[in-house]
Amino acid sequence: MNLIYFPILVSLFAIAYVYFLTMQIRKAPVAKDKAIAITQAVQEGAMFFLKRQYKTVAVVGVILFIILLIFLGWKVAIGFLIGAALSGVSGFVGMLVSTQANTRVAEAAKKGLGKALDMSFKGGLITGLMVVSLGLLSVSGYYFLTGLEGLVALGFGASLISVFARIGGGIYTKAADVGADLVGKVEKGIPEDDPRNPAVIADQVGDNVGDCAGMAADIFETYAVTTVAAMILGALLYPRAIQFVMLPLILGSVSILTSIIGSFFVRLGPALSGAEGNGQGIMAAMYKGLIACVVLSAIAFYPVISNLMAGQAISVMNLYLSTIVGLVIAAGMFVITEYYTSKKYGPVKSIAKASETGHATNIIRGIGLGMQSTAFPVLLIAFGTIISFQLAGIYGVALAVMAMLSISGIVVGVDAYGPITDNAGGIAEMAGMPEDVRKITDALDAVGNTTKAVTKGYAIASAGLAALVLFSAYSEQAATVFALDNPKVIAGLLIGGLLPYLFASFLMGAVGKTAGKVVEEVRRQFKNIKGLMEGTAKPEYGKCVDIVTKAAIKEMMVPALIPVVAPILVGYFLGVQALGGLLIGSIVTGLFVGISMTTGGAAWDNAKKYIEGGEFGGKGSFAHAAAVTGDTVGDPSKDTAGPAINPMIKVLNIVALLIVAFLV
């Protein structure tokens, strides 16, 4: 069988399996009574936002399509269109599945923790498998039709949409969340997800458009771009051996199958099944699936590489060990990030302890912890890069990243599980479901905060390594040396180092500005709607949804265009060497900014939940008030600015790769 058919067939099989899982979820019973109206409101709000966002992005996409068609030809333009369209589809599927699964998870919680976990993970797995199968299908299919020409543009299309999705969804979700918390929890003293809060539906919508749609588009883009970069490097370095081009596709195909098999291992142990359980048991269930996938991939990679790459310029064992390095980096990122973000360990407990002495000490400890959390991940990435390079050169680094990303199917499943359970808990609270249901959804949600943080650490690490591979492809095509005694290279390094900070500042500012508008609206409703606080009147939920939608669409435009415009301007005015410096500078600072913001934000969140579990005075205590402030500050860090760094640094690199031919 022609090798190119294998990834296409595997992709189609995975899509068929996704359809099977979707039918299983749709057949599951939904929560009744009040929950129906709440679920419909969330679905309508999410759909309304995505339609507005995609219409806006489509205008930018059409302009870029025409430019690419004129200057680079139809293969490049069509590749861009495919990448953009499928990135959008990935985000839409992520949102759609989440809004259908959340109410079913709330209902399943009536039957125990095991049933609720199974339902929520299946919902997340649908998103994960759809993302990687679409990524693999688009890259392998377009390569089959046109060869390598146009694949870079496919990656650019995917990257552009993912930037908009991450930014727009991130601004929406955290502006709504912060606005709801500042008035609801802080000023009025009502519980989270209380139906009296006018911003609560907007908050629920935000979980879907930010954590699901944005995350799905992000991972699709990372997967597609990394695969393309590895294939291009293989073609540039070994032009007479097509095996080096095909190997990334085959590895991706194998890991889709291992992700499906690994998903069957996500089960609670017998002692916890059907019981309220605890976070440790839920996290252990997730890890069983991840470990199974990693182990199976490690086993399967060797026969694949030995059969495909026998007799090539690099030994089979060196190529295989490069993939193992990638799997080890992935596993290491899971462990490190969990340590810094889980309630079980010292870092989160230290933030909770700092909350006893006030809001300021909570913030100081959280910022310090976020900075500290960059050390081990960066060292892990550094050593992984050196080892894989020693084994198989820059192609070894590309294989390591590809192996790392090849398990994205189950990793995204673990990530997308989080917002589904968060929404389920909100529905349970607003619909007045029994306390036992809320206890189960709270247990799932607490673990979801850690899983989202863990997978964000994984995504940032893979983005940094993927950007290095893209830079290597750029360097090969530029055919120049980036020497540190060249002032243009230094200037490029400084500008590139600046960009992640500038980018993140725009996003943090956007969340703060939009949250302020939500706060004003929520205060207005509590003041003017008689009986709202007493629960006898209904809030105007749509007003907050509309405010956040309009603001998020408006605020996303400027930061989303930064990574597109910056490399063009630097390349045109300062040249190819300065542009190379910009790419390296952005990768270095992007890693630190992304990791510190996502990990620190998650630690703040779980410190609040740790106190809410009864520690340091529990809910309503002085420490709890300080922890709520920390969580509020951390929200835009972990869910808006931090994750958006991923696509941002890759857009910089892929735009540079597109324009390098015009600069040399």
Side-chain angles (χ1 to χ4, degrees), residues 395-544:
Y395 188 75
V397 178
L399 279 191
V401 190
M402 194 63 224
M404 187 178 177
L405 276 167
S406 67
I407 61 172
S408 292
I410 195 165
V411 172
V412 173
V414 171
D415 186 299
Y417 141 93
I420 290 173
T421 58
D422 191 1
N423 262 199
I427 289 169
E429 178 74 31
M430 287 186 283
M433 290 185 177
E435 186 64 23
D436 288 347
V437 171
R438 185 68 205 212
K439 284 182 179 178
I440 287 174
T441 58
D442 279 350
L444 292 168
D445 184 31
V447 174
N449 282 325
T450 300
T451 62
K452 284 190 291 184
V454 166
T455 51
K456 280 170 185 163
Y458 160 88
I460 292 167
S462 61
L465 284 167
L468 280 176
V469 175
L470 284 166
F471 172 76
S472 299
Y474 169 82
S475 182
E476 288 287 330
Q477 294 205 17
T480 188
V481 177
F482 301 98
L484 291 179
D485 60 357
N486 186 330
K488 288 188 176 181
V489 173
I490 297 295
L493 282 168
L494 292 172
I495 295 170
L498 156 72
L499 289 177
Y501 286 96
L502 182 65
F503 182 78
S505 76
F506 273 109
L507 300 190
M508 296 294 284
V511 171
K513 190 190 302 182
T514 308
K517 294 178 181 178
V518 176
V519 167
E520 290 172 0
E521 174 60 24
V522 174
R523 284 173 176 169
R524 183 195 68 80
Q525 292 196 33
F526 272 116
K527 182 181 178 181
N528 296 342
I529 300 177
K530 293 180 179 180
L532 182 57
M533 192 63 188
E534 293 75 20
T536 56
K538 185 180 178 183
E540 296 173 350
Y541 296 122
K543 291 286 183 67
C544 289

Side-chain angles (χ1 to χ4, degrees), residues 291-347:
I291 291 168
C293 179
V294 169
V295 171
L296 289 170
S297 295
I299 295 170
F301 283 168
Y302 185 76
V304 168
I305 293 172
S306 61
N307 282 311
L308 183 64
M309 306 303 290
Q312 297 300 322
I314 306 174
S315 76
V316 165
M317 185 53 67
N318 283 14
L319 291 170
Y320 173 68
L321 289 176
S322 295
T323 64
I324 298 301
V325 169
L327 294 174
V328 170
I329 292 174
M333 289 300 302
F334 297 148
V335 173
I336 293 166
T337 311
E338 187 192 359
Y339 172 73
Y340 280 105
T341 59
S342 173
K343 295 186 293 181
K344 294 187 293 182
Y345 303 112

Side-chain angles (χ1 to χ4, degrees), residues 46 81 226 246 248 266 278 283 298 365 405 410 499 536 639 652:
L81 193 63
T226 304
M246 290 301 306
V266 180
N278 55 51
M283 201 69 199
R365 180 62 189 134
L405 276 167
I410 195 165
L499 289 177
T536 56
D639 289 328
L652 286 169

Side-chain angles (χ1 to χ4, degrees), residues 31-53:
K32 300 291 193 297
D33 302 323
K34 289 183 181 177
I36 295 175
I38 295 165
T39 303
Q40 286 176 343
V42 172
Q43 289 174 341
E44 289 169 5
M47 189 67 71
F48 176 66
F49 173 76
L50 281 189
K51 283 181 178 178
R52 289 277 300 269
Q53 185 184 45

Side-chain angles (χ1 to χ4, degrees), residues 43 46-47 50 91-100 208-209 212-213:
Q43 289 174 341
M47 189 67 71
L50 281 189
F92 181 80
V93 169
M95 181 278 297
L96 198 62
V97 170
S98 177
T99 55
Q100 290 189 350
N208 295 286
V209 300
C212 288

